[in-house]
């Protein structure tokens, strides 16, 4: 996304796992007054000066771990996304010169990273296919592996001059329509194993970002507490104008339309703005707008140590 309207922040890079969080990162860019979207890295027009407006490396199905999303074949994990940014980084050197490029990345750029949920939904929790992983790694070991890999990935970005980071935690994945449907849960229930994994990872992520803030000179790592934000919408959905926080607007299968992803033949709700979830995995546009508003201007319940507007203005 281009942030040309601000003197202190003109570039936004996305390294994003799209599963569960959907397009809330687009909404938060719009809340900051972004006039256009970051160009997808693999798009034919992602060349020349257009990359100075930001680049999106997002890949549906990818995760922190390289094995995540293997069922989808063509997904791109975080390691590859960071490799791609390394290529972009060299292109910026050529466009601006090395000294100006370094200043541009360090002082006029922000890196938005939303990753982790697929490592559970499309790896550790995959029915049958993940049994071997769960036998060889208990939840503690699996989360340790995730945090170790993420630390290395963030360090690589720092070494390439990234300094301002927004890192989202994992949302309440045990409460999404897909998990509620396949586990045959009642309206207000969530899957304990999935929720416990998210909570465990989120605690470790918080510690990791605090560690990096303390030890990486000149860096600012902001934690986007998406877990508590989405939990609030699910628990008190009526307060925010929603009619349901369980049933997907677009999808099929089971009580919550949570088995078959949204497609051209899917059932579609009559009013998408009344659903917290758009499909079996992702929040709706209406929900994403609420998430973005809280991350851009919210307090430290949902974004810390500073919010995104304050990060922009550093």
């Amino acid at each position: 996304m281009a942030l040309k309207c601000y003197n202190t922040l003109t570039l936004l890079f996305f390294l994003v796992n799209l599963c569960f969080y959907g397009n809330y990162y687009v909404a938060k860019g719009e809340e900051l007054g972004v006039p256009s979207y970051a160009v997808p890295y693999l798009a034919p027009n992602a060349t020349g000066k257009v990359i100075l407006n930001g680049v999106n490396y997002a890949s549906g199905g990818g995760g922190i771990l390289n094995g995540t999303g293997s069922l989808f074949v063509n997904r791109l994990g975080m390691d590859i996304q960071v490799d791609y940014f390394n290529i972009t980084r060299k292109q910026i050197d050529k466009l601006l010169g090395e000294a100006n490029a370094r200043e541009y990345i360090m002082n006029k750029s922000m890196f938005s990273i939303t990753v982790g949920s697929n490592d559970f939904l499309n790896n550790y929790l995959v029915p049958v296919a993940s049994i071997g992983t769960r036998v060889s790694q208990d939840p503690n070991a699996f989360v340790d592996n995730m945090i170790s890999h993420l630390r290395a990935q963030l360090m690589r970005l720092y070494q390439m001059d990234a300094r301002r980071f927004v890192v989202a935690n994992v949302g309440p994945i045990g409460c999404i329509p897909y998990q509620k449907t396949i586990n045959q849960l009642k309206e207000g229930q969530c899957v304990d194993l999935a929720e416990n994994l998210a909570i465990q990872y989120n605690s470790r992520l918080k510690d990791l970002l605090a560690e990096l803030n303390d030890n990486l000179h000149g860096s600012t790592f902001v934690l986007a507490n998406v877990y508590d934000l989405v939990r609030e919408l699910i628990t008190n959905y009526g307060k925010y104008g929603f009619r349901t926080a369980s049933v997907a607007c677009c999808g099929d299968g089971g009580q919550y339309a949570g088995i078959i992803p949204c497609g051209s033949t899917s059932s579609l709700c009559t009013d998408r703005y009344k659903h917290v979830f758009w499909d079996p995995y992702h929040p709706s546009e209406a929900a994403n707008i609420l998430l973005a508003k809280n991350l851009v201007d919210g307090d430290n319940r949902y974004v810390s140590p500073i919010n995104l507007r304050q990060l922009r203005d550093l």
Side-chain angles (χ1 to χ4, degrees):
M1 290 186 179
L3 299 181
K4 297 178 181 177
C5 50
Y6 303 118
N7 293 328
T8 59
L9 184 61
T10 59
L11 184 65
L12 189 59
F13 290 107
F14 292 111
L15 296 99
V16 190
N17 164 8
L18 289 179
C19 186
F20 185 69
Y21 297 113
N23 288 323
Y24 92 87
Y25 70 92
V26 171
K28 72 185 180 188
E30 290 173 346
E31 283 296 315
L32 283 170
V34 177
S36 60
Y37 299 139
V39 61
Y41 175 79
L42 294 176
N45 64 329
T47 59
K49 291 185 178 180
V50 70
I51 67 173
L52 298 179
N53 294 330
V55 181
N56 188 342
Y57 303 87
S59 173
I64 295 170
L65 304 177
N66 291 325
T68 292
S70 58
L71 294 173
F72 301 113
V73 184
N74 289 325
R75 88 289 181 213
L76 304 174
M78 271 289 290
D79 280 343
I80 295 176
Q81 293 186 37
V82 176
D83 289 342
Y84 284 167
F85 173 70
N86 187 37
I87 295 172
T88 300
R89 182 68 185 79
K90 294 174 181 176
Q91 292 171 335
I92 295 173
D93 277 344
K94 291 181 180 179
L95 287 168
L96 301 179
E98 290 186 8
N100 289 335
R102 189 164 190 264
E103 194 275 337
Y104 197 65
I105 299 297
M106 292 179 69
N107 299 321
K108 297 181 179 179
S109 308
M110 185 164 68
F111 291 74
S112 179
I113 300 168
T114 303
V115 72
S117 59
N118 273 342
D119 293 284
F120 297 120
L121 294 173
N122 295 322
N123 189 334
Y124 199 74
L125 294 174
V126 175
V128 182
S130 68
I131 295 300
T133 300
R134 278 187 262 176
V135 168
S136 61
Q137 287 187 302
D138 64 19
N140 289 328
F142 189 78
V143 170
D144 284 346
N145 196 19
M146 289 176 64
I147 292 294
S148 176
H149 276 76
L150 183 61
R151 178 187 285 108
Q153 290 154 354
L154 295 175
M155 288 291 295
R156 286 182 63 199
L157 291 170
Y158 179 84
Q159 290 162 2
M160 287 185 272
D161 298 322
R163 291 296 183 269
R164 303 182 197 188
F165 299 83
V166 182
V167 185
N169 62 14
V170 169
I173 54 177
C175 306
I176 64 176
Y178 170 73
Q179 284 288 315
K180 290 171 71 74
T181 299
I182 65 171
N183 288 280
Q184 300 180 338
L185 298 186
K186 296 180 180 178
E187 184 81 15
Q189 293 180 317
C190 299
V191 180
D192 288 340
L193 174 59
E195 284 296 277
N196 291 338
L197 286 168
I199 291 168
Q200 186 174 350
Y201 169 80
N202 290 345
S203 176
R204 295 289 307 281
L205 176 65
K206 183 177 181 179
D207 291 343
L208 171 63
L209 299 187
E211 170 198 323
L212 296 177
N213 272 325
D214 288 342
N215 295 311
L216 296 183
H217 176 72
S219 67
T220 303
F221 288 84
V222 169
L223 174 64
N225 185 7
V226 176
Y227 180 91
D228 282 349
L229 273 170
V230 177
R231 261 293 196 177
E232 167 66 13
L233 294 185
I234 290 172
T235 303
N236 299 304
Y237 61 88
K239 172 183 173 182
Y240 300 95
F242 295 107
R243 189 164 53 239
T244 175
S246 296
V247 181
C249 174
C250 183
D252 283 299
Q255 182 180 355
Y256 307 111
I259 296 179
I260 302 173
C262 182
S264 59
T265 61
S266 298
S267 300
L268 185 65
C269 67
T270 56
D271 188 347
R272 67 188 66 189
Y273 297 104
K274 296 298 183 181
H275 288 244
V276 171
F277 287 96
W278 163 247
D279 65 10
Y281 304 95
H282 305 91
S284 64
E285 179 184 21
N288 282 323
I289 290 171
L290 292 173
L291 300 184
K293 288 179 182 295
N294 279 281
L295 295 179
V296 170
D297 292 310
D299 58 36
N300 60 14
R301 291 175 301 164
Y302 298 130
V303 56
S304 61
I306 58 179
N307 63 38
L308 302 195
R309 197 175 301 279
Q310 292 165 333
L311 179 66
R312 180 200 71 187
D313 294 336
L314 283 180

